[in-house]
Amino acid sequence: MATVVDSPNKEANKSALANKKVTIVFVLGGPGSGKGTQCGYIVQHFGYTHLSAGDLLREEMKSGSENGFVIKDMIKEGKIVPSELTIKLLEQAMLENRNDKFLIDGFPRNEENRAAFEAFTGIEPEFVLFFECSEEEMQKRLLSRNQGREDDNIETIKKRFKVFMESSLPVIEHYEAKGKVRKIDAARPILEVFEAVKACFTRGDIKVNQL
Ligand code: UDP
Ligand code: MG
């Protein structure tokens, strides 16, 4: 299978996904804003498949792949893993799955991620769910969630906040200019947040949006 990594010519390389009509919703927000939790509820209510870019990278890291060390270093430092790696993992997960509706959680994390994904797959998100939350609240959640993650320590958390502000917010701004962002106040209890999330999925104007 051709991948972004294999290709001598990135521009000409297109994913087989371009032939599989898929609906994608990007789920974005700072670390600890509740993306993963809310995605679990969306899956149950709306039949999407949840793909967490961070989880895919952590699985790849643990699988003993040659990219494992790069991924481990980047995650420990709160840095963004090279696009081709993340995009390849997302592509594989979508091609392997029979579903045609995907929540992509925690990606794209910068403008380069976004442009590379759109160029390779030919797909723009149906909309972007954006979880807004104060750093104070996110920090509290990250430090109390005890998921055994190497990056949930105060030093890495500060770096992740900085990367989010500097690199990830421009992605939100890009989609905001296209009228695709649905903003949620995520600093509330889980079920209250989900009520707001539900409303975003029942607007009735969801359709596949190919480039
Ligand atoms: N990461 C990345 N690219 C992605 C998603 C995740 O490089 O598209 C890396 C990055 O180092 C990030 C870490 O994985 O800090 C954890 O991401 P995840 O989405 O799991 O956690 P969050 O920061 O949203 O809590
Ligand atoms: Mg997550």
Side-chain angles (χ1 to χ4, degrees):
M1 181 178 59
T3 66
V4 197
V5 184
D6 302 329
S7 171
N9 178 358
K10 254 190 197 178
E11 289 307 307
N13 192 13
K14 287 275 177 199
S15 167
L17 272 176
N19 305 319
K20 176 180 174 177
K21 280 208 162 192
V22 292
T23 300
I24 285 175
V25 173
F26 286 145
V27 182
L28 300 177
S33 59
K35 304 182 291 291
T37 303
Q38 294 297 328
C39 281
Y41 285 94
I42 301 166
V43 164
Q44 285 174 26
H45 282 75
F46 298 104
Y48 280 75
T49 293
H50 175 209
L51 300 178
S52 156
D55 286 351
L56 289 171
L57 288 167
R58 281 184 285 273
E59 275 168 31
E60 177 74 1
M61 182 179 93
K62 288 179 191 147
S63 75
S65 121
E66 54 179 328
N67 299 314
F69 293 104
V70 177
I71 298 172
K72 192 175 169 61
D73 277 0
M74 305 296 263
I75 289 183
K76 183 84 218 310
E77 288 304 312
K79 291 184 182 156
I80 299 167
V81 172
S83 283
E84 52 257 46
L85 259 175
T86 317
I87 292 172
K88 193 177 75 169
L89 294 172
L90 288 168
E91 183 206 29
Q92 267 165 8
M94 286 191 277
L95 287 174
E96 279 167 8
N97 199 298
R98 295 169 64 94
N99 202 350
D100 60 358
K101 301 194 305 186
F102 297 93
L103 299 170
I104 298 191
D105 155 9
F107 177 95
R109 274 180 134 81
N110 61 16
E111 274 289 275
E112 194 271 329
N113 275 178
R114 180 197 62 73
F117 181 87
E118 288 186 358
F120 180 58
T121 64
I123 304 165
E124 270 198 42
E126 186 54 38
F127 62 90
V128 176
L129 205 54
F130 173 41
F131 292 116
E132 261 188 323
C133 196
S134 69
E135 283 192 8
E136 193 190 5
E137 173 66 19
M138 292 193 288
Q139 182 173 312
K140 202 172 78 189
R141 293 178 183 177
L142 292 171
L143 290 176
S144 61
R145 70 181 180 182
N146 294 322
Q147 290 177 344
R149 274 177 53 172
E150 257 196 295
D151 55 349
D152 281 349
N153 60 79
I154 190 66
E155 199 189 327
T156 311
I157 287 170
K158 296 279 184 208
K159 291 180 184 166
R160 286 155 72 195
F161 284 158
K162 190 163 186 288
V163 168
F164 178 72
M165 295 298 286
E166 290 174 358
S167 305
S168 309
L169 277 183
V171 176
I172 312 280
E173 283 158 16
H174 170 90
Y175 287 122
E176 225 158 21
K178 298 187 136 200
K180 290 196 166 199
V181 176
R182 300 184 190 178
K183 225 177 256 188
I184 306 281
D185 171 7
R188 294 173 294 162
I190 292 174
L191 291 178
E192 273 181 42
V193 174
F194 186 59
E195 282 307 309
V197 168
K198 248 199 278 191
C200 294
F201 282 86
T202 49
R203 280 173 36 165
D205 52 356
I206 297 182
K207 58 172 172 28
V208 176
N209 196 352
Q210 302 279 349
L211 281 181

